[in-house]
Amino acid sequence: LATGNYNDTTAKLYADISLFTADALIVKDAQLIFERLCGSTAENTPHCLVTAPNDLKRTLLNYIEREEIHARQGRGGRIIAKMNNLSHPALIDALYRASQAGVRIDLNVRGICMLIPGLPGMSENIRVISIIDRYLEHSRIFYFENGGTPEWFLSSADWMPRNLERRVELLFPILDEHNRSLLTYFLKIYFSDTVKAFEMQSDGNWQRLSAQKGLPPLRVQEVFHQFFAQKSLVFNGQAAKN
């Protein structure tokens, strides 16, 4: 499962995340989805995987509204989302309502973003940054705190009408604790970039984070390059021993 397609050209330019799994429920869901794509009329409902255009938009709205309910009932609320584009009116409205309820929302949106953060009484709890660097940031990562029972997801879909209503797209959960800790680290670094990151202001303009004084330089793609290079050395060393 992946946040982007396996293409020998785009793989040299795009930064995506993939999941290899033998989880029985996910494997069964994948089989069901392929059967549907091949024309099966079976009414079975997937257990773990959520697809567009059938259910993905409604599921995302439910997750956002769940954070809003938690916040209104005093349990806090937290959403962290990374994507290419954010332009779906229903999801933007849901994020505004969640912000007004007190949910803290961090968005990393590389391209189109039709949500405006920092508006008093509407979006003062929302932060939006964008990273423009050598590789096209293509991964979609979503975190919902869920009242102390956090959930992590990866997806092929941006929050746009064409992705959620006119394409076959996929949202899948990250269940393994080690993989969850990796995504937590990835998101932390993505929101710490001070070299190639821009932050949207409440007037819709973008400001380079490097222009803010006192921030040490951190370039997220360089950090990840070093991270995976080190992982590769460890893996290759273990493989050589075996």
Side-chain angles (χ1 to χ4, degrees):
L1 305 170
T3 62
N5 54 24
Y6 288 93
N7 181 295
D8 59 356
T9 299
T10 58
K12 300 172 184 177
L13 305 171
Y14 290 12
D16 276 297
I17 300 178
S18 300
L19 172 71
F20 290 84
T21 180
D23 182 277
L25 287 178
I26 293 180
V27 171
K28 185 175 181 181
D29 283 356
Q31 179 181 354
L32 174 61
I33 290 168
F34 276 109
E35 290 174 353
R36 286 182 177 178
L37 292 172
C38 292
S40 171
T41 58
E43 295 298 323
N44 295 335
T45 302
H47 292 86
C48 299
L49 305 184
V50 182
T51 59
N54 305 78
D55 305 304
L56 183 48
K57 180 178 72 174
R58 181 174 67 252
T59 298
L60 290 170
L61 286 171
N62 287 342
Y63 288 153
I64 296 171
E65 290 166 3
R66 184 180 63 184
E67 295 302 313
E68 177 187 348
I69 292 171
H70 283 309
R72 293 192 184 281
Q73 295 180 351
R75 293 188 294 272
R78 188 81 169 96
I79 297 171
I80 308 174
K82 179 182 181 295
M83 66 195 81
N84 286 329
N85 301 294
L86 171 57
S87 64
H88 198 293
L91 289 171
I92 291 172
D93 287 345
L95 290 170
Y96 282 149
R97 291 193 298 271
S99 172
Q100 292 163 27
V103 179
R104 290 195 303 122
I105 303 170
D106 283 325
L107 304 175
N108 189 313
V109 185
R110 177 187 56 80
I112 298 168
C113 181
M114 298 177 66
L115 176 150
I116 304 296
L119 297 175
M122 178 176 286
S123 59
E124 64 264 47
N125 290 313
I126 303 178
R127 180 191 184 205
V128 179
I129 72 167
S130 175
I131 294 174
I132 308 297
D133 205 343
R134 173 182 177 181
Y135 298 105
L136 185 146
E137 287 295 339
H138 200 247
S139 58
R140 292 86 168 186
I141 310 171
F142 309 132
Y143 168 86
F144 300 93
E145 195 162 274
N146 189 27
T149 309
E151 294 183 326
W152 286 258
F153 299 93
L154 297 177
S155 180
S156 65
D158 287 315
W159 292 3
M160 306 176 71
R162 73 179 186 189
N163 292 94
L164 301 179
E165 297 168 5
R166 300 194 294 274
R167 289 183 178 178
V168 176
E169 301 277 10
L170 189 67
L171 176 85
F172 52 98
I174 301 302
L175 305 173
D176 178 79
E177 288 300 326
H178 175 69
N179 288 335
R180 287 183 168 195
S181 67
L182 281 176
L183 288 183
T184 300
Y185 170 70
F186 293 164
L187 287 175
K188 177 182 177 181
I189 299 299
Y190 270 125
F191 285 93
S192 301
D193 190 298
T194 57
V195 176
K196 294 294 184 178
F198 295 78
E199 184 168 5
M200 183 185 282
Q201 309 300 302
S202 59
D203 60 2
N205 290 315
W206 295 87
Q207 181 184 65
R208 268 192 181 273
L209 286 179
S210 58
Q212 299 181 16
K213 296 181 180 179
L215 294 176
L218 187 152
R219 185 176 176 182
V220 63
Q221 290 191 0
E222 285 189 351
V223 171
F224 287 153
H225 186 276
Q226 295 169 5
F227 176 82
F228 288 111
Q230 184 63 36
K231 289 287 185 181
S232 177
L233 288 173
V234 172
F235 176 80
N236 290 334
Q238 292 174 343
K241 291 179 181 179
N242 294 332

